[in-house]
Amino acid sequence: MASIDINCDLGESFGQFSMGNDDAIFPYISSCNIACGFHGGDPLHMENTIKKAIYYDVQIGAHPSYPDLAGFGRRKIRLSSDELKATIKYQIAALQGMVKSLGGELKYVKAHGALYNTIAHDKKEAEVFLKAVNEINPSLAILGLAGSPFQEFTRKFGFKFIREGFLDRKYQEDGQLMSRKEEGSVLQSVEESIEQFQSIVKNGEAKTASGRKINLEVDSLCIHGDNPLAEDILKAIHQIENKISIKKLIL
C-alpha cells in the first residue's frame, strides 16, 4: 500500500476573523503547519490549534511568514537580513514554547506564502531563514518545495529536508507553482485534486498548466486550510479504492 504524509496550514484565524475550517480538517491529516501570528493566528488560536493537533496525534510544524497580517503573508516584504532573521526566530520560538507547555513537540518549520516562494530560489534569503531556524532549534526539519534550489540549500546546512508537493495547486513546467494571481492556479474541483493526488503519490508526476507532465518526488502533500473544498477533498482521499495510507513522517 502506498503511503504519504498530508500537511495543512492551520490556526490562521485571527481575533474575530475566521479562516479555514480547522475542526473539519484535523481528522484527515497527519501534519499541520500552525500560523505564528504574523500572517494569521494569535496566541489563543495558536494554543487552541496546538491542543487539537495533540488530540488528533497530528505532527506539529511552525509556519512563520513575513510580517504581513493585512496581506495574509502573500506579499513580498523587504527586510534587512538581521530583521528577517529576528522575525523568523520570534515566530518559531513562540510556537515552540507553547507546544512544549502543552506537552507536545515541535518537529519542523515551513515558511508561509511569499516567504516560502522567495526562499525556494533566493539563496541569500534562504540562508537567513535557515540560520534563524538553526539558532532556535537545529534538530527541526524543514518542509519546502520539492526539487527547488532550497532543497539543496537546506541539506548543505545539515537539516533534514521534507520534499513538499501540493494537491490543490497547479504547477508550471519548471516545477514551481503557478502564481495565485493567475486564473486556474488553484484546482477548481474535488476531482482535479484527487487526480493530482493519485498521480503524484502513485506515479511521481504532476500535470502542468500546459497539460504536460513533470516528475515530482515528494514526502508530504499540502492542502490549504483556506481552500473551501479542503474538507471534501480530504474525505474523498480517504474513500479512494486501492487506498493510499495517510501517515506522518518519522522526524
Side-chain angles (χ1 to χ4, degrees):
M1 181 186 295
S3 66
I4 191 71
D5 175 75
I6 293 183
N7 76 80
C8 187
D9 306 340
L10 297 176
E12 293 179 318
S13 296
F14 181 83
Q16 297 301 309
F17 298 94
S18 180
M19 179 68 73
N21 191 3
D22 293 12
D23 289 343
I25 288 171
F26 259 118
Y28 300 103
I29 61 173
S30 46
S31 298
C32 66
N33 322 307
I34 300 180
C36 304
F38 278 37
H39 75 275
D42 58 30
L44 182 58
H45 281 103
M46 289 166 68
E47 183 158 84
N48 288 341
T49 307
I50 294 164
K51 288 178 179 177
K52 291 170 187 173
I54 292 171
Y55 175 82
Y56 284 103
D57 192 27
V58 169
Q59 197 147 244
I60 299 172
H63 200 35
S65 75
Y66 289 127
D68 181 29
L69 210 60
F72 197 61
R74 288 181 175 157
R75 301 179 296 185
K76 167 75 175 178
I77 306 295
R78 299 196 177 277
L79 305 173
S80 70
S81 294
D82 286 346
E83 187 175 5
L84 177 60
K85 181 156 72 78
T87 297
I88 294 165
K89 287 175 65 176
Y90 181 93
Q91 294 177 75
I92 298 170
L95 188 72
Q96 181 174 255
M98 294 181 78
V99 171
K100 185 177 180 180
S101 76
L102 294 167
E105 183 180 3
L106 186 67
K107 289 290 191 175
Y108 65 92
V109 180
K110 173 189 171 180
H112 169 80
L115 179 60
Y116 181 98
N117 293 329
T118 298
I119 64 176
H121 299 278
D122 186 323
K123 184 176 181 180
K124 181 180 177 181
E125 201 146 309
E127 288 181 347
V128 172
F129 180 87
L130 294 169
K131 286 177 182 177
V133 179
N134 186 66
E135 290 178 15
I136 291 295
N137 185 347
S139 69
L140 293 171
I142 306 292
L143 180 62
L145 185 64
S148 68
F150 184 55
Q151 182 170 322
E152 290 308 310
F153 299 159
T154 300
R155 287 175 173 164
K156 287 178 181 178
F157 263 76
F159 288 102
K160 177 179 176 62
F161 187 81
I162 306 166
R163 300 170 299 175
E164 182 178 38
F166 293 81
L167 62 89
D168 59 357
R169 293 288 305 279
K170 185 73 76 176
Y171 280 89
Q172 299 178 151
E173 291 185 12
D174 62 0
Q176 296 186 63
L177 298 174
M178 281 181 63
S179 169
R180 283 182 177 268
K181 295 177 182 179
E182 297 182 51
E183 186 175 351
S185 62
V186 178
L187 301 183
Q188 297 298 305
S189 71
V190 172
E191 290 74 23
E192 280 184 293
S193 290
I194 295 301
E195 180 183 351
Q196 179 148 299
F197 171 80
Q198 295 194 87
S199 178
I200 294 172
V201 176
K202 293 182 176 180
N203 304 321
E205 58 185 26
K207 188 164 67 175
T208 68
S210 65
R212 291 186 59 186
K213 291 186 176 180
I214 57 170
N215 293 330
L216 193 63
E217 299 293 333
V218 306
D219 306 302
S220 182
L221 280 170
C222 175
I223 185 166
H224 290 87
D226 61 337
N227 184 337
L229 294 176
E231 181 182 0
D232 291 338
I233 293 168
L234 289 167
K235 285 180 177 178
I237 285 172
H238 283 261
Q239 294 168 359
I240 293 173
E241 293 183 19
N242 303 319
K243 192 172 176 61
I244 296 169
S245 174
I246 308 305
K247 57 194 300 185
K248 62 185 177 183
L249 299 165
I250 305 300
L251 300 177

